[in-house]
Amino acid sequence: MSEHLPDGVERHAFGGDGDGTDRLATRGEPVYGEPTDDEWRAWDPSRSKLGAMLELEMQTDLAGDDTVLYLGAASGTTVSHVADFAGPTYAVEFAARPARDLLEAAASRSQLFPLLADARKPDTYAHVVESDVDIIVQDVATRGQARVALENRRFLADDGRLLLAVKARSEDVTRDPSAVFDDVREELEAEYEVLETKSLERYHADHLGIVARPL
């Protein structure tokens, strides 16, 4: 089976991990204590929903030099890897504490632009984020995850992609995750065509990866 890895993401063997397995990696300054080998830094899918989507060979259509809007950047674990190979990368994070770590991750990445903002309120950063971004990556722990994707649809190019990690327990901890996933997908279909879905259970409990394109 062929892999769908973006330019700038490769498999690399890191010494000292004990099992000799090649791991996803990008070139850049380390951020969170990840294994490194010269300029390479390991991308751990158990700490990254997008990394899990790549490990599971979802067809993300991510490419080198893409313009990316990343919703739910937290302290920069995943978005720093994205900025290692992508073009302008706008990283939206609402909480002040992880945003401070995100600023540190951006210090060595001139194309990474941290935004202290709420992904549910895109009007607050619409004056900064360029229109027609190639990729929206969404990893937010909140109710209304489909609504966040719909509200941020305005930034996505007509041929762009939404890469969404749905957290069932953030929507409703009392419901069966599969029912939550069905509801999110149905709501998304108002403005997106869902191209692929895949459980991220191997790396993240009660998560579903979705690849979609705007209608």
Side-chain angles (χ1 to χ4, degrees), residues 3 5 20 32-33 36 54 69 78 83 86 88 97 107 109-110 122 134 143-145 150 173 181 185 188 197:
E3 288 191 300
L5 296 180
Y32 52 95
T36 59
L54 292 174
L69 172 61
T78 296
R97 178 63 188 89
R109 294 171 173 84
S110 61
D134 300 298
R143 289 181 181 268
Q145 291 166 78
L150 295 171
V173 72
F181 298 148
R185 176 170 180 157
L188 278 179
T197 65

Side-chain angles (χ1 to χ4, degrees), residues 76-170:
T77 298
T78 296
V79 75
S80 63
H81 284 289
V82 174
D84 284 344
F85 65 87
T89 302
Y90 301 94
V92 176
E93 174 53 42
F94 178 66
R97 178 63 188 89
R100 289 196 291 271
D101 294 333
L102 179 59
L103 284 170
E104 293 183 14
S108 61
R109 294 171 173 84
S110 61
Q111 72 276 35
L112 179 55
F113 304 101
L115 301 172
L116 183 59
D118 188 339
R120 297 170 296 183
K121 300 176 180 179
D123 285 342
T124 62
Y125 47 87
H127 62 292
V128 177
V129 178
E130 60 192 86
S131 60
D132 295 335
V133 303
D134 300 298
I135 299 287
I136 292 177
V137 180
Q138 182 177 319
D139 180 14
V140 295
T142 184
R143 289 181 181 268
Q145 291 166 78
R147 177 51 47 188
V148 171
L150 295 171
E151 291 289 341
N152 284 273
R153 160 67 181 86
R154 70 181 77 178
F155 301 112
L156 193 59
D158 290 341
D159 60 349
R161 293 290 183 271
L162 169 70
L163 310 180
L164 169 60
V166 182
K167 305 167 184 281
R169 299 306 181 188
S170 293

Side-chain angles (χ1 to χ4, degrees), residues 36-54:
T36 59
D37 181 25
D38 293 329
E39 74 271 30
W40 291 99
R41 48 193 295 255
W43 191 348
D44 185 351
S46 68
R47 298 188 61 171
S48 168
K49 315 312 186 303
L50 180 58
M53 292 172 75
L54 292 174

